[in-house]
Amino acid sequence: AALAKALDAGQLAGAALDVQDPEPPDLSQPPYNDPRVLVSPHAAFVSQESLDNLRSRVARQVVARLTGKRPENVVNPEVLK
């Protein structure tokens, strides 16, 4: 409701939404039916290429950790003792 109100008031030019509550949303209702709103299912990234990439990145990070290296994207390096 707040997003629809902000769009109607011109406070936002548009929105892109990935996760909704409930999932799937009722696309006939605001803000989902606004042409300035893009909606994708939470699983929109799923493709053979993305799954292959996900698996290989996880494997590389496990190998990095097991060989004493720092895995990518660690936001709390203090836990790597």
Side-chain angles (χ1 to χ4, degrees), residues 11-66:
Q11 295 174 309
L12 296 172
L17 307 174
D18 177 39
V19 178
Q20 288 71 234
D21 185 22
E23 183 84 46
D26 182 352
L27 299 178
S28 69
Q29 299 296 313
Y32 306 108
N33 61 352
D34 189 307
R36 298 168 292 173
V37 175
L38 301 175
V39 182
S40 69
H42 189 55
F45 85 98
V46 176
S47 67
Q48 188 59 52
E49 293 83 6
S50 69
L51 294 175
D52 291 345
N53 179 273
L54 177 67
R55 291 176 183 129
S56 63
R57 285 182 65 201
V58 167
R60 284 194 306 271
Q61 291 181 59
V62 168
V63 169
R65 183 65 183 131
L66 292 175

